[in-house]
Amino acid sequence: MRRSSLTLFLLLFACQRPPAEQASSPVAPGGAASRLEQAAIASGAIADPAKISPVGLFQRSHEAGRDALCVIPARNGDLHFGLEAIFGEEPACRGRGTARRAGDKLILSFKGGDRCIIVAQYDGDQASLPGVVDLACADLCEGRGSLEGVSFPRIANDAASALRARDRSGDPLCAG
C-alpha cells in the first residue's frame, strides 16, 4: 500500500502544471533578451544592445568579396548609411540612405525611386539583413547579386572609421 501511494503521489506531482512564471518562454515577447541575458545586462557583465549606437563600420571579408556597412550621424540628428556587398568579379549591391533605430532593429531607407526599405536585425555587434527583401530593392544589385541574408559584423564603433571606409571603386562608402 505504501509503495502504491508513493507511485500515485509521484504521478500526480509530475502532472502538475508549472507556475505561470515558469511556463512562459525564456525569451520575452518582442524578441527581448532571455532572463540570463537580462541578468547579465543588469549586472554590467555585458552591454545593453538597446543602448549601443549603430554609428560605426561593419565589415566582413569572404572568399567572394567583401560586405561593408557604415553608419554616421548627420547634422540634423538623423543617421546616414552606405553599404556595399560584393559577390565576386561582377555582382554587387550598393546603396545609401537614412537609418533609424527601433529596438533591436535598424531600419534602412535607401535613396532612390523605388522606395527600398530593409529592416535589419541589430544586436550592437552585428547588423543582419533578412533572408527575404522587398522587390523594390532589386535595383540596388547588379547581375545575380542580392542583399538577402547579408550580415555585417561591427569592426569599429566611431564615425571617423565609418567615414574612412571606401567602396570597390575607391569612393567614400559614407558621404560626410
Side-chain angles (χ1 to χ4, degrees), residues 54 79-81 98-103 105-109 117 120:
L79 296 173
H80 288 259
F81 76 92
T98 58
R100 183 172 47 94
R101 181 82 188 275
K105 307 285 190 249
L106 190 60
I107 302 168
L108 306 173
S109 299
I117 296 175

Side-chain angles (χ1 to χ4, degrees), residues 116-128:
C116 169
I117 296 175
I118 297 178
V119 179
Q121 189 69 32
Y122 175 71
D123 67 4
D125 292 326
Q126 178 168 289
S128 302

Side-chain angles (χ1 to χ4, degrees), residues 53-60 66-73 80 82-84 122 124-127 152-167 172-174:
S53 170
V55 170
L57 180 60
F58 301 79
Q59 185 172 296
R60 180 175 67 99
R66 177 192 61 118
D67 304 329
L69 167 70
C70 59
V71 180
I72 59 171
H80 288 259
L83 73 73
E84 181 177 58
Y122 175 71
D125 292 326
Q126 178 168 289
F152 305 90
R154 182 187 292 275
I155 64 169
N157 60 358
D158 61 303
S161 297
L163 286 169
R164 285 192 299 270
R166 302 281 181 222
D167 65 13
L173 190 58
C174 273

Side-chain angles (χ1 to χ4, degrees), residues 71-155:
V71 180
I72 59 171
R75 288 188 179 112
N76 63 1
D78 289 342
L79 296 173
H80 288 259
F81 76 92
L83 73 73
E84 181 177 58
I86 300 172
F87 310 103
E89 294 294 318
E90 293 295 321
C93 300
R94 60 184 56 86
R96 289 192 170 109
T98 58
R100 183 172 47 94
R101 181 82 188 275
D104 64 347
K105 307 285 190 249
L106 190 60
I107 302 168
L108 306 173
S109 299
F110 291 83
K111 290 181 183 176
D114 283 344
R115 189 78 177 131
C116 169
I117 296 175
I118 297 178
V119 179
Q121 189 69 32
Y122 175 71
D123 67 4
D125 292 326
Q126 178 168 289
S128 302
L129 304 187
V132 177
V133 296
D134 193 335
L135 289 174
C137 302
D139 291 342
L140 299 172
C141 300
E142 304 164 350
R144 298 178 64 182
S146 171
L147 289 172
E148 294 175 345
V150 175
S151 64
F152 305 90
R154 182 187 292 275
I155 64 169

